[in-house]
Amino acid sequence: MTDDTLENNVFYRRIKEHYGEKMAGWCEPNWVICVPQQSAVENVPLTLPLIEAHALKQYSPTGQYVSAHFGKDLIYEITGEEPRVIISNEEEGTEVVVSKTTVLNEYLVTIKDKVIHILLLNKLLNTTQDQDAEVSNHLLTTTITSFAQAERFLRKFHCHRPLLQEIDTKVIEASEHIHPSNDVDQMQNILQDVLIHCWETLLKKHSPTLQTHTTFQDLLFRALDYYVLGRLHEMLWWLVCERCQVVDQLVKTRLSHLRHANLSSLQLGVPANYYTPLPAAVVELASLPSVESAVGRLQCINSTIDLIQAQAKEARVNLHQYKDQEGEPELLLSTEELVALLTTVVVQAQCSHLVANIYYMTHFVFSVTEEDPLWKSLGLLRLTLENIMKLDVARLPPANKNMRKELSLQDLMQVSAEVESRFETKGASRSIGDITALDLQLHQLTQQIQLSTQALSDTHLTERNSASHGSGAQQCHLHKIVAKCRVLGSFCQAFHLPCVRA
């Protein structure tokens, strides 16, 4: 092959015409540029990432090279004499795939007074460029809701890994501007600039398809929001807590007061028929202090509200089905109902630093727009805080005085018997209005206790001739009954259910 034919190679011409400055930097004695022969690049998009993957820089004196695109994540070896070959070893799951490319010819050309070493190859280097195509097929099902998921998303791309160290350096530089002497706007601008710089840098490493894919753009920015701000969490959170400590103490006192007053959503206007405890939402919200980023905490608030809506809707559906009512149940909770339910969840979870958390999420989340459900969740939490600070327990309807915080096993069995008797006396009619969603939950729990009791009786009858074996089975089923009772006990104790209905 002659120099004239090299000049006609579309890959070589693409570099020379569009990336001349970069090409001048990939010069002797440390760099070689690999140019696949013409037939190997037909119908192949000649993107910058693909070209950078074929610019190899010497990594060691033993003939090892790394590309401008993948860095140390992918090592190539140029070895042999006639013909010379380029070998790379890539891990795919538990296997190591060895790829081998043959060098057809070598050239030295001059670009902007720099000597460029070119290797003409029989095919493209194995550069895992199909990774972008694979990712684009799963974008709609990809979600990032935690720091761990964000880090996995960033690291799964080979082209990202050489740049993550640069991102870590940017994080360290940004941390120098996080101190009380700077106002919040200044810190916001610095952190947003870091995020945008990192986002643009990583995005350029991908194919044009992904670069212009809005879902991928959003996912990448969300991942960086978790990753960058997560590394700065301790510094930012300390700063926010310092600024909000006085008003946070005021809110903490109010939450403690409402908890001791046994505040329930019934007092706040939630219909009695649809009243239901919200243990999953309480547990989710109680985990807020363990989340180490502002966007992560915003996700936690959103998950809490989702759980409230799901549990409330489930209660309404169950009650509607049980009473054989016509039509569809009203599942949409009003803003007032949602605020009331979230208020009781916040009180039960006893959220410390509630004001600091709202301030933190308001000022240090960058990947969420005003139309995003996450941002709307923050607005709902602000309404809830306003509601908590305006509440006057003395003006609320009185709480149920029959509520008890502790129930013995005997009390639990009494609750079970009382609930079942109410369902039995109701008979076949399902139109009686005094059955509520809460009654159905208690009914389900007591039925589980009855099933365990029946299993104990059956075991005793079938195995009465084997004393030792029967005794073991009996103990096993007794343990099951006690466990079910403890579930009911925890259920009643946590949500102050009446031991015996008046």
Side-chain angles (χ1 to χ4, degrees), residues 344-390:
T344 58
V345 168
V346 170
V347 170
Q348 291 171 34
Q350 288 292 288
C351 297
S352 59
H353 304 295
L354 183 59
V355 176
N357 273 301
I358 292 176
Y359 184 95
Y360 187 36
M361 291 180 284
T362 300
H363 292 91
F364 296 108
V365 173
F366 299 95
S367 61
V368 178
T369 65
E370 292 183 359
E371 298 302 316
D372 195 298
L374 292 182
W375 199 253
K376 294 179 181 179
S377 297
L378 181 57
L380 200 63
L381 184 62
R382 291 196 193 98
L383 284 177
T384 300
L385 176 60
E386 293 176 13
N387 191 46
I388 287 171
M389 298 311 293
K390 290 188 298 186

Side-chain angles (χ1 to χ4, degrees), residues 234-260:
E234 288 189 11
M235 300 179 67
L236 287 170
W237 180 239
W238 174 83
L239 190 65
V240 169
C241 286
E242 284 288 306
R243 294 188 177 186
C244 301
Q245 60 180 337
V246 175
V247 68
D248 256 335
Q249 185 58 46
L250 177 65
V251 174
K252 181 180 179 182
T253 302
R254 171 55 64 93
L255 290 176
S256 179
H257 171 68
L258 293 175
R259 184 179 187 182
H260 285 96

